[in-house]
């Protein structure tokens, strides 16, 4: 009884603290606009863009138990949707992720409807085929009028109005932060609500989930569509940050990188895991290249093996382990 009361009090205290932590993190991201500059802002924008994509893929893989090796294709669809909107229709760059999300969701629904009849490795292989096919389709002369073919598209992006006092890098970074905070809010609401319960029940035991009244097919479809939405928006923001898209920017290895971000970051960690995973796939290749030029991917692979061997729950799991140790030490 005493332990239950203690646990209840602990939850009541930790919930406001968590909200304070989220608020402080949001303010830190916004304040970075005035601290970082140039290439640093570009790196931060890239990390947050990939983190949005990883959030969606984490919902699909971590909470719903479906394996996808092809979400780089949806990242590419989002990037090209944004690029075409800017290049052909002069849509303001901050609005293009919305359009990219709609286009990506439509593509995800068309592809996901038949693909979700598959499970496990069969779904993974089907999505992997999508990742392999996408760069070839983007190079095709059939769509070259819109995609720019092999040459791709250079994007002319206008900064915020002069009265805002922001340069182009700051304008793009703030837009990326805005979408990151939006998806962080949506992800937390979804995984902690009825959708999250349906996803976890479907992952753990589909028969029991049906007996509990959950629509398993609908739960899988919602997880897939949300993951596609996040990847499309992440791709659009990355295209805006780079100001260029080309088929070679979206090889099938991109899908493996997103998969790596989710697993190395930590499955079932809705925010910290995707963020740490995005930092990993953006920053670590640069570091390993400095360690061993020409052999950087060997070092990169070794780091992944080491992380999985030390803590299968990934970097977020390592943080949780450190936090538990500190809490235990403090309570002694």
């Amino acid at each position: 009884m005493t332990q239950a009361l203690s646990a209840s009090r602990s939850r009541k205290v930790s919930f406001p603290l968590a909200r304070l932590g989220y608020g402080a993190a949001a303010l830190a991201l916004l304040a970075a606009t005035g601290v970082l500059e140039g290439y640093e802002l570009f790196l931060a924008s890239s990390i947050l863009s990939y983190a949005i994509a990883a959030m969606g893929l984490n919902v699909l893989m971590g909470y719903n138990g479906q394996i996808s090796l092809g979400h780089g294709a949806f990242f590419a669809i989002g990037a090209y949707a944004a690029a075409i909107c800017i290049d052909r229709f002069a849509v303001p760059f901050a609005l293009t992720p919305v359009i990219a999300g709609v286009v990506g969701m439509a593509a995800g629904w068309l592809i996901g409807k038949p693909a979700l009849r598959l499970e496990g490795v069969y779904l993974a292989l089907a999505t992997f085929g999508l990742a392999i096919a996408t760069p070839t389709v983007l190079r095709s002369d059939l769509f070259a009028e819109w995609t720019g073919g092999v040459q791709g598209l250079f994007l002319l992006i206008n900064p915020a109005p002069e009265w805002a006092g922001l340069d182009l890098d700051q304008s793009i970074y703030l837009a990326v932060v805005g979408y990151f905070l939006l998806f962080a809010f949506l992800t937390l609401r979804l995984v902690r609500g009825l959708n999250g319960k349906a996803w976890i029940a479907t992952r753990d035991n589909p028969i029991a989930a049906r007996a509990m009244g959950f629509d398993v097919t609908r739960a899988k479809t919602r997880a897939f569509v949300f993951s596609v939405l996040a990847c499309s928006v992440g791709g659009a923001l990355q295209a805006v940050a780079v100001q260029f898209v080309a088929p070679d920017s979206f090889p099938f290895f991109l899908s493996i990188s997103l998969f790596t971000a989710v697993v190395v970051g930590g499955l079932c960690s809705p925010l910290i895991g995707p963020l740490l995973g995005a930092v990993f796939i953006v920053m670590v290749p640069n570091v390993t290249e400095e360690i061993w030029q020409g052999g950087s991917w060997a070092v990169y692979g070794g780091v992944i093996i080491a992380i999985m061997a030390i803590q299968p729950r990934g970097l977020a799991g390592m943080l949780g382990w450190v936090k538990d140790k500190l809490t235990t030490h403090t309570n002694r």
Side-chain angles (χ1 to χ4, degrees), residues 97-297:
V98 177
I99 300 170
V102 173
V103 173
M105 284 175 68
W109 188 83
L110 287 173
I111 296 167
K113 201 69 175 174
L116 288 178
R117 295 176 183 171
L118 307 173
E119 292 185 349
V121 293
Y122 305 106
L123 176 63
L125 189 59
T127 52
F128 184 63
L130 178 66
I132 292 175
T134 299
T136 303
V137 173
L138 293 174
R139 286 190 197 95
S140 168
D141 293 337
L142 193 63
F143 305 105
E145 184 181 351
W146 291 93
T147 63
V150 178
Q151 302 298 323
L153 298 171
F154 288 91
L155 308 182
L156 182 60
I157 296 176
N158 297 317
E162 192 174 343
W163 55 263
L166 300 170
D167 62 25
L168 182 56
D169 293 326
Q170 290 172 325
S171 305
I172 293 172
Y173 174 75
L174 277 179
V176 174
V177 168
Y179 281 101
F180 175 81
L181 295 177
L182 173 64
F183 270 87
F185 174 77
L186 288 176
T187 303
L188 285 178
R189 293 285 293 180
L190 286 171
V191 300
R192 290 176 177 174
L194 191 58
N195 280 296
K197 291 183 175 69
W199 288 335
I200 293 171
T202 303
R203 177 197 66 191
D204 292 345
N205 192 328
I207 297 174
R210 287 192 182 92
M212 293 166 64
F214 291 122
D215 186 329
V216 171
T217 304
R218 181 176 295 178
K220 286 184 175 181
T221 305
R222 284 181 176 174
F224 191 83
V225 170
F226 180 73
S227 68
V228 168
L229 170 66
C231 279
S232 302
V233 170
L237 292 168
Q238 180 63 6
V240 169
V242 177
Q243 300 174 44
F244 173 69
V245 292
D248 290 341
S249 304
F250 308 100
F252 78 87
F253 187 73
L254 173 62
S255 296
I256 304 300
S257 291
L258 293 176
F259 180 90
T260 303
V262 173
V263 179
V264 168
L267 286 168
C268 290
S269 172
L271 297 185
I272 302 298
L275 191 55
L276 292 176
V279 171
F280 183 86
I281 63 170
V282 172
M283 301 298 295
V284 171
N286 297 331
V287 175
T288 56
E289 183 64 29
E290 291 183 5
I291 294 173
W292 184 6
Q293 290 184 355
S296 62
W297 290 112

Side-chain angles (χ1 to χ4, degrees), residues 319-330:
L319 277 182
W321 182 83
V322 171
K323 180 185 172 187
D324 291 343
K325 287 292 180 186
L326 289 175
T327 304
T328 304
H329 181 73
T330 306

Side-chain angles (χ1 to χ4, degrees), residues 42-52 238 274-275 278-279 282-283:
F42 168 73
L43 276 182
S45 299
S46 293
I47 289 170
L48 294 179
S49 300
Y50 282 112
I52 292 172
Q238 180 63 6
L275 191 55
V279 171
V282 172
M283 301 298 295

